[in-house]
Amino acid sequence: MKFVTFRQGGADPEVGVLVQDQVVSLAGAGFSSMLAVLGGGAEARSRIDSWVQSSAVPVPLKSVKLLAPVPRPPKFFCVGLNYRDHAIETKMEIPKIPTIFSKFSSAVIAPGDAIVLPKNSTQPDYEAEFAFTIGRGGRHIPADRWHEHVFGYTIVNDVSARDFQLATTQWLMGKTFDTFAPMGPHIVSADEIADPHALDISLTINGETLQHSNTRELNFKIPELVAYLSSVVTLEPGDIVSTGTPAGVGMARKPQRFLKPGDDVVVRVGQIGELRNPVVAEN
């Protein structure tokens, strides 16, 4: 299934399921948010299946506004330098253990929302990323039980202000400007993707392909990331883990290619879809 958070007109956000070109709200099945779905386990999935098949009244997808599938994730983990070619292009050492940083949840924006280029940065960059979301939480999760805890998969653009990111050894401030975490357009449930480590990933700006790789090239794959993160913190339903970006970022290109007002940025991941966002300047 493809799960979405959406809004109809000026109403409050709802959680729903995509069925072809229609959206089925899950409010009538008792779900008020995506976090309720993610934390509901097998019982919730059974109730959702039954509702979609027998009781739901769909509305056209074009009549709603899609929001980020998890508008305010409890935790938003990012994995740095997780593609060998990206580490090489940035002249950084290939990590021997996962390099983890985070974004604040306030950076999250929806598909179609504008990436706002901050007036105090001159090096706003793009990063196409494949992400997964936690369903069942836990601590000290063994790598071989990762599939019991991953609910599904989505797309993230890890927008980054390189001048802020590289000004210190701590990357967070360059990663978490408002609007620097486009996410969506939906979460594809894990049962729909047989192998999440065999997905094409790409990014285009104004139709030009600037990044293209495959998730098989991840240095640290989902089992290792789940085990490593949960060895430190308790994972919770709705936590997002964005797994890193391949080569081709603007900072490493010659000449460098940073984001500009008017750009149309599209991240595509196989079997998930595309995440499209325009770019504007901060007022």
Side-chain angles (χ1 to χ4, degrees), residues 250-261:
M251 173 181 66
R253 304 184 77 87
K254 295 181 181 178
Q256 292 180 319
R257 201 308 184 190
F258 294 118
L259 293 172
K260 306 186 299 290

Side-chain angles (χ1 to χ4, degrees), residues 66-203:
L66 290 184
L67 307 178
V70 187
R72 287 292 181 266
K75 294 186 284 297
F76 196 129
F77 299 101
C78 299
V79 188
L81 307 173
N82 203 25
Y83 286 78
R84 180 184 179 88
D85 58 1
H86 175 56
I88 291 171
E89 74 172 352
T90 57
K91 298 180 173 56
M92 295 187 183
E93 184 179 352
I94 298 169
K96 295 181 175 60
I97 61 172
T99 297
I100 305 298
F101 59 95
S102 67
K103 289 177 177 280
F104 297 135
S105 63
S106 57
V108 173
I109 60 171
D113 285 357
I115 299 167
V116 179
L117 304 183
K119 53 181 133 184
N120 53 336
S121 171
T122 60
Q123 298 180 342
D125 208 346
Y126 53 85
E127 293 192 7
E129 304 209 0
F130 161 71
F132 62 91
T133 185
I134 297 298
R136 177 185 172 193
R139 181 83 193 280
H140 297 299
I141 300 167
D144 62 2
R145 300 184 67 175
W146 68 272
H147 58 281
E148 299 175 19
H149 299 266
V150 172
F151 179 91
Y153 310 108
T154 191
I155 304 172
V156 165
N157 186 346
D158 176 17
V159 184
S160 309
R162 301 300 188 191
D163 38 2
F164 275 74
Q165 176 191 352
L166 301 177
T168 73
T169 59
Q170 303 300 311
W171 293 356
L172 183 144
M173 293 303 287
K175 295 285 190 172
T176 202
F177 279 89
D178 292 352
T179 78
F180 270 26
M183 183 201 302
H186 43 248
I187 295 171
V188 178
S189 58
D191 60 299
E192 295 286 328
I193 296 179
D195 185 359
H197 304 110
L199 306 177
D200 281 344
I201 179 170
S202 66
L203 178 142

Side-chain angles (χ1 to χ4, degrees), residues 36-53:
V37 171
L38 297 176
E43 187 276 332
R45 182 59 185 267
S46 176
R47 185 150 43 107
I48 289 167
D49 289 343
S50 176
W51 173 259
V52 171
Q53 292 170 15

